[in-house]
Amino acid sequence: MADQPEGSAEYTDDSPERSGGVGDKAARVANAAHDIGGFIRAQREAAQVSLRQLATLAGVSNPYLSQIERGLRNPSAEVLAQIAKALRVSSEVLYVRAGYLEQRPHSPVRDALLADTSISERQKQVLLDIYESFRRENGGSEPGGE
């Protein structure tokens, strides 16, 4: 489940609409809310978890989670982190889907770390930070460097 960051590239394109007016931004936010809701629902169904079970695990109400899944509500980063933890997916994947983060270019090391379900989100982030610092120190310009 955690290795599905692809498919959210629409949030990272460099099209002219990206710097468009308030209407364009509102449309992107509305689309992101719908996209994140559908993605959460798909992940929940793949994990064979009921809406009620996920709501309990994530610490949110059933109606609120239902509204998120239907694209009626755009959850905060905190709620997304709780949902990610409950679904055992990377919170970064949900942040990208929701439009909170730009998708980073893929690298085999990064993808493997994000897909690993045996370590926590915090551990993944620490390992990624160390990896990126080594790459910068060695002058690496491969995807993932900032």
Side-chain angles (χ1 to χ4, degrees):
M1 287 186 293
D3 58 348
Q4 297 180 8
E6 61 274 358
S8 57
E10 64 266 24
Y11 301 114
T12 61
D13 70 353
D14 293 321
S15 62
E17 293 85 20
R18 186 152 174 78
S19 59
V22 175
D24 291 338
K25 186 172 184 177
R28 281 196 315 272
V29 169
N31 187 34
H34 182 70
D35 184 49
I36 188 63
F39 182 75
I40 290 170
R41 175 177 284 167
Q43 294 300 306
R44 177 178 59 76
E45 290 172 350
Q48 298 179 346
V49 175
S50 72
L51 182 77
R52 186 167 298 194
Q53 289 170 321
L54 180 57
T56 300
L57 289 169
V60 298
S61 71
N62 293 342
Y64 182 58
L65 183 58
S66 175
Q67 291 172 346
I68 291 170
E69 286 192 356
R70 290 181 288 144
L72 301 176
R73 298 273 185 158
N74 198 8
S76 68
E78 182 180 329
V79 170
L80 283 177
Q82 292 169 241
I83 292 170
K85 185 176 180 180
L87 287 172
R88 298 183 57 101
V89 298
S90 168
S91 52
E92 183 177 355
V93 171
L94 293 186
Y95 294 156
V96 169
R97 284 279 182 164
Y100 290 131
L101 285 179
E102 297 289 325
Q103 182 175 358
R104 295 183 189 178
H106 294 281
S107 82
V109 172
R110 219 174 161 311
D111 294 345
L113 277 171
L114 291 174
D116 192 335
T117 58
S118 65
I119 59 176
S120 72
E121 289 300 312
R122 177 72 183 128
Q123 291 167 330
K124 289 177 188 181
Q125 190 57 55
V126 169
L127 288 171
L128 287 171
D129 290 345
I130 292 168
Y131 174 68
E132 293 300 331
S133 72
F134 286 152
R135 292 190 44 71
R136 283 190 300 273
E137 183 179 309
N138 294 332
S141 60
E142 198 170 300
E146 294 180 310

